[in-house]
Amino acid sequence: MPVASEHKIQRDKYMAFALAAADLLVEVGQDGGIVSITGAVKALIGTREEALVDRPIESLFVESEGALIRRLRAKALEKGRIEPAVMHVVCPQGDAIAATLGLCTLPGHANTYLALSVLSPGMAAKLPKRDDVTGLIAMSEFQHMAQKGISPNDPGSGAAMLQEMRLVKIGGLNKKLKSLGESRANELMAEIGAILNASATDTSAARLGEENFGLIGLAYGSAQADMSVAEGVRLAESLAEAMMTAGLSAHAARPQVTSVSLARDGLQEKEIARALSYIFDNLSKTDFVAPHSLKSAFEAAEREVIGQLANLRDIIDHDRFDLHFQPVIELKSGQIAHHEALVRFGKPGSPLETIRFAENVGLIADLDMAVCRKAIALLADQPHLSLAVNISGFSIQYPEFCAELNERLHAQAVLAERLIFEVTETHQIENMDLAAQFLSGLRRRGFKVCLDDFGAGAAAYNYLRRLDVDYVKIDGPFLQRAATDRRERALLRSLSVLCAELGCQIIGEQIETPEIKSLALDLGLTFGQGYLFGKPTAEVPRSKALAANGRRVGQIAAWR
């Protein structure tokens, strides 16, 4: 048999073998153009094979993955092959289909060979969502990946994923991006994402903060994924080169790369990802000049966060907090309508820092439930009280919290007329449908709902539009500004009209002078609280009789 025929038979065998496991096989030339393509070309790409020859290989994929495919080809040329990576093939209808990509080279050949296998819809649906510009997964997606199905004894679980990661920091990145303009900034971020994703391949690259990135995956924490110093240096050099190519000076391009391990002692599985998020957020607020300082900063922040977590868990588990009560009055009559009880943790200063830490590390639902338990116990002990307990926007999206609270309220149905729930805006409500369903359930059972902190954030009007509530509490600074700002007064007056039409009443915070009280009345507010009417005290109101100062004692409890 002629040699040429033997080569053809051998080639056909390899082709058949490859096509048994892939939907597309592509040969890519040194210039990045398609030399040949075979397989389900018409079905996937929507055109004939010969029409694709000489087109850039990037044209097969979504635009945001162009830089990544170039990086992966370079890696395959250097190493001979890459671990499978997930890419997105452009379809005739303009949609994108997720597919695993394999790349390799053959000895003595300068071309690269690409195999694409389309993922099933079920598998594709499980993939983490990625940023359109960088292709990086977001911190929230990373948290979801880490918290889903974590098993401490399973080396392929999220617990192993978080044992070790490669941490990348690009100091002052946001400032540098602003100096480039939107178009060039997007190009640079696409290149940064491509470099990180090409370095990850069998893992996932995530943006963990404004200037912090991480390479995380199932292999990390194993010997296979140990990162050598040389690899870290090469990654930092590639990032620096990309930034200088974008026009930034060598001094400005100071990426740092280091390997870090998470000491999981004292951390529950559900807290791991949120603890990391908190650490990265704090790291992004400072700048470092060397990889060793980045590693030490991470470890120091880690120790502090684990200590704070242990302390907060002890506070929650053993009810090591108190409620201090501040009067809320009916503005026209001057009588006390209720009290707001603010949480105190037995240390000087505002409790807001502890509350926000609880939200950041995912313990706010536990804290809210502890406060609810204490409030319900207080109601049982003081049958004349009417208490309103504030709950975070995070908690009402947490199924376990909603289920436990509903169970407790089912056993205490008689409290419906004496227990109010205030939803705070310190944590943005992301699942509005679930939150609305839960709050509507409370109201159907007779419990009143108050929307707290109105005016403190941009989402307030959206909350009022989507959530049925009985009260709206105006954020104190909003009311203070209305004293001197005509636009703020107009907004508050319009809000008063809107709430009247919606059937809910308004409470104003931080009323500290008679002038602010008069303004609140003029703007149509029904209730008010502030130092003008009384400061918070630890004494629990025990009677509706007038107090010595001539004000009627009432009650609302909350942790803020």
Side-chain angles (χ1 to χ4, degrees):
M1 181 181 296
V3 175
S5 298
E6 291 181 359
H7 286 171
K8 184 178 184 303
I9 293 173
Q10 191 72 7
R11 184 197 64 187
D12 290 345
K13 287 182 178 178
Y14 282 123
M15 187 70 71
F17 175 75
L19 281 173
D23 296 295
L24 281 180
L25 294 176
V26 187
E27 181 179 358
V28 184
Q30 297 180 59
D31 61 353
I34 297 174
V35 175
S36 65
I37 182 169
T38 189
V41 180
K42 183 70 173 178
L44 293 178
I45 313 300
T47 188
R48 295 175 301 170
E49 299 175 8
E50 54 268 28
L52 297 174
V53 173
D54 294 330
R55 282 176 51 178
I57 184 61
E58 295 94 324
S59 64
L60 297 185
F61 304 97
V62 295
E63 184 177 357
S64 62
E65 294 178 347
L68 177 57
I69 190 64
R70 290 193 295 271
R71 292 277 173 180
L72 292 177
R73 283 185 55 243
K75 188 173 183 179
L77 286 169
E78 176 189 355
K79 297 182 176 293
R81 64 183 297 273
I82 66 165
E83 295 293 329
V86 176
M87 303 288 285
H88 293 83
V89 180
V90 177
C91 300
Q93 296 79 13
D95 298 328
I97 296 180
T100 56
L101 165 72
L103 269 170
C104 69
T105 60
L106 298 177
H109 291 262
N111 291 353
T112 50
Y113 297 86
L114 178 155
L116 275 169
S117 300
V118 174
L119 295 176
S120 67
M123 290 292 294
K126 296 178 181 179
L127 294 173
K129 293 182 175 61
R130 297 179 179 272
D131 178 71
D132 289 338
V133 175
T134 64
L136 299 171
I137 65 173
M139 187 67 218
S140 58
E141 193 71 30
F142 161 58
Q143 291 172 345
H144 176 72
M145 290 169 61
Q147 292 172 357
K148 185 178 180 181
I150 291 178
S151 172
N153 299 318
D154 180 1
S157 73
M161 178 178 76
L162 295 174
Q163 292 284 342
E164 182 171 332
M165 66 173 58
R166 303 175 188 180
L167 180 61
V168 180
K169 182 180 179 69
I170 305 177
L173 176 61
N174 276 0
K175 291 181 180 178
K176 295 162 189 173
L177 292 173
K178 290 177 182 177
S179 71
L180 295 176
E182 183 177 359
S183 177
R184 291 175 60 206
N186 285 343
E187 290 177 5
L188 174 57
M189 285 305 302
E191 196 64 37
I192 289 174
I195 293 170
L196 295 173
N197 278 318
S199 298
T201 54
D202 60 336
T203 66
S204 290
R207 189 165 190 177
L208 307 176
E210 289 186 350
E211 54 192 43
N212 289 308
F213 304 85
L215 307 183
I216 55 179
L218 300 181
Y220 280 79
S222 69
Q224 174 187 350
D226 289 343
M227 183 183 191
S228 69
V229 174
E231 288 173 324
V233 170
R234 284 196 296 271
L235 178 56
E237 288 175 346
S238 296
L239 291 168
E241 181 183 353
M243 295 178 71
M244 286 186 284
T245 301
L248 297 171
S249 66
H251 175 73
R254 294 183 296 129
Q256 304 152 59
V257 181
T258 189
S259 291
V260 294
S261 298
L262 181 68
R264 296 173 59 247
D265 296 341
L267 286 181
Q268 296 179 8
E269 300 297 343
K270 67 178 182 179
E271 299 165 1
I272 293 175
R274 288 193 170 272
L276 279 171
S277 175
Y278 189 76
I279 293 171
F280 291 130
D281 182 60
N282 285 321
L283 285 180
S284 68
K285 298 173 184 175
T286 56
D287 199 7
F288 305 98
V289 296
H292 65 82
S293 64
L294 176 60
K295 185 178 181 71
S296 61
F298 177 90
E299 292 172 347
E302 177 190 33
R303 288 192 297 271
E304 181 179 355
V305 168
I306 290 176
Q308 287 179 292
L309 272 167
N311 180 60
L312 180 57
R313 213 183 285 121
D314 182 68
I315 288 172
I316 294 170
D317 292 344
H318 299 94
D319 287 346
R320 301 189 193 278
F321 61 90
D322 300 302
L323 297 176
H324 286 208
F325 300 84
Q326 184 178 28
V328 176
I329 74 158
E330 199 277 323
L331 289 171
K332 288 185 178 179
S333 68
Q335 292 184 337
I336 294 179
H338 49 252
H339 279 73
E340 178 179 11
L342 301 99
V343 73
R344 294 294 182 264
F345 297 105
K347 62 181 181 179
S350 170
L352 189 57
E353 182 180 343
T354 301
I355 292 167
R356 285 181 172 165
F357 176 77
E359 288 185 323
N360 285 329
V361 297
L363 285 181
I364 190 63
D366 295 332
L367 177 59
D368 280 349
M369 186 55 63
V371 174
C372 287
R373 288 195 299 265
K374 183 167 284 192
I376 290 172
L378 189 58
L379 283 169
D381 186 56
Q382 304 291 332
H384 65 280
L385 294 180
S386 297
L387 307 175
V389 180
N390 283 16
I391 50 180
S392 167
F394 174 86
S395 298
I396 61 175
Q397 302 172 94
Y398 198 68
E400 288 82 356
F401 172 86
C402 295
E404 182 176 349
L405 183 57
N406 278 328
E407 183 178 351
R408 288 182 179 277
L409 295 179
H410 181 73
Q412 298 284 350
V414 294
L415 302 182
E417 294 186 0
R418 299 195 291 126
L419 182 58
I420 304 169
F421 294 94
E422 298 190 15
V423 180
T424 69
E425 201 186 348
T426 51
H427 188 282
Q428 184 173 351
I429 299 176
E430 297 173 356
N431 191 333
M432 193 65 71
D433 291 338
L434 180 62
Q437 181 181 0
F438 173 69
L439 295 179
S440 294
L442 292 179
R443 296 184 76 236
R444 283 195 301 270
R445 295 160 65 180
F447 297 93
K448 288 184 168 56
V449 174
C450 175
L451 181 59
D452 198 5
D453 301 322
F454 194 94
Y461 276 97
N462 186 42
Y463 290 177
L464 188 57
R465 181 174 64 88
R466 298 288 302 276
L467 305 175
D468 291 328
V469 298
D470 302 283
Y471 304 99
V472 171
K473 181 175 282 188
I474 301 298
D475 188 55
F478 190 8
L479 183 57
Q480 295 287 330
R481 291 192 300 269
T484 56
D485 191 317
R486 183 169 56 88
R487 291 175 60 86
E488 298 284 0
R489 287 196 298 276
L491 286 171
L492 275 176
R493 190 171 282 110
S494 66
L495 175 63
S496 178
V497 173
L498 175 62
C499 285
E501 292 184 356
L502 293 175
C504 54
Q505 297 176 306
I506 304 179
I507 304 170
E509 290 183 321
Q510 293 185 16
I511 298 179
E512 299 177 356
T513 66
E515 291 76 16
I516 297 296
K517 176 186 175 183
S518 296
L519 174 64
L521 279 166
D522 181 59
L523 293 174
L525 276 64
T526 308
F527 302 99
Q529 73 180 101
Y531 282 7
L532 179 64
F533 312 121
K535 296 182 178 181
T537 63
E539 183 180 355
V540 178
R542 297 185 181 278
S543 172
K544 290 187 178 181
L546 290 178
N549 59 8
R551 300 187 180 97
R552 184 173 300 278
V553 178
Q555 314 75 20
I556 272 193
W559 49 248
R560 283 190 54 199

